[in-house]
Amino acid sequence: MHRFFIPPNYLNGLQVTFPGDVSYQITHVLRLGNGDQVGVLDNSGLLYHVRLQGGAPGSSLTGEIIEKKAVSSEPDVHLTLYFGLTSREKVEWILQKGTEIGVSAFCPFISARTLVQSPELTPKRQARWVRIIREAAEQSGRGRLPALNPATSLLEALSEAARSFRLNLMAWEESANNSASLESALKGQSVDALSLFVGPEGGFSEEEVNQAVAAGFQVVSLGARILRMETAAIIFPALVLYQLGQLS
Ligand code: SAH
């Protein structure tokens, strides 16, 4: 069954009115119509089974809710992935794959060695990135839409994470030989939210790692091989969710 996130105000009692872009997708791309069923998500963790209704030509597509249930696929652990702002293609890959894996929020940052040094996003690009997250969430069966936060400086990101989470992990390839394993960082932890930091192509500078440690972060290794930042940004949340028993 095809699933669509729509804003909650489009649901009214048992009646659903589909926004224009979703209507277009349902009727023109998927060629569904009167009597067909789709899944509707209102970002509350609920999934509604909706039977489409045939309307007058030109009027909004509507449907009737025939069943409602909780989505069971959301991880119990809220992961916020901070990553160095990079090329459009890599950011899009990170947003799409991270959503599939179970990341709950994405926060790009700018550090000394990030490829992109301006946090400004055009409204068009912002809208495209939000759409990529939404489509990945629909395709992978998420019950809630991951958030996309505006880019900040690494320093701001570090202090925001330190304020928000009890556990903050920074992936640093040079930590491999000082026994900073992910396993030991997560052992015995019963957290319901944590942050993960992945550096840019050029990596974190030693000064940046020291700032993170001073803010109470744990520095962890993702193995003896050096991963590209977009690989690290996918592997890191996957390993953390696995270690916390969230991929079973
Ligand atoms: N500074 C390196 C590579 C940076 S890799 C160089 O230029 O040679 C980009 C980011 O991926 C790093 O900042 C780190 O956060 C993460 N990363 C890659 N491989 C890693 C590993 N083996 N352990 C921990 N983090 C890793």
Side-chain angles (χ1 to χ4, degrees), residues 187-204:
K187 197 180 228 144
Q189 294 281 357
S190 60
V191 284
D192 55 11
L194 68 154
S195 81
L196 311 180
F197 276 68
V198 172
E201 285 78 356
F204 289 117

Side-chain angles (χ1 to χ4, degrees), residues 113 170-176 197-204 220-233 236:
R113 299 182 190 154
M170 174 179 269
W172 192 36
E173 60 284 5
E174 289 175 45
S175 62
F197 276 68
V198 172
E201 285 78 356
F204 289 117
V220 295
S221 164
L222 299 176
R225 290 154 303 280
I226 296 186
L227 310 170
R228 286 181 184 265
M229 64 100 53
E230 67 274 29
T231 313
F236 196 10

Side-chain angles (χ1 to χ4, degrees), residues 196-214:
L196 311 180
F197 276 68
V198 172
E201 285 78 356
F204 289 117
S205 70
E206 200 153 337
E207 190 192 349
E208 289 169 340
V209 175
N210 291 338
Q211 284 163 344
V213 171

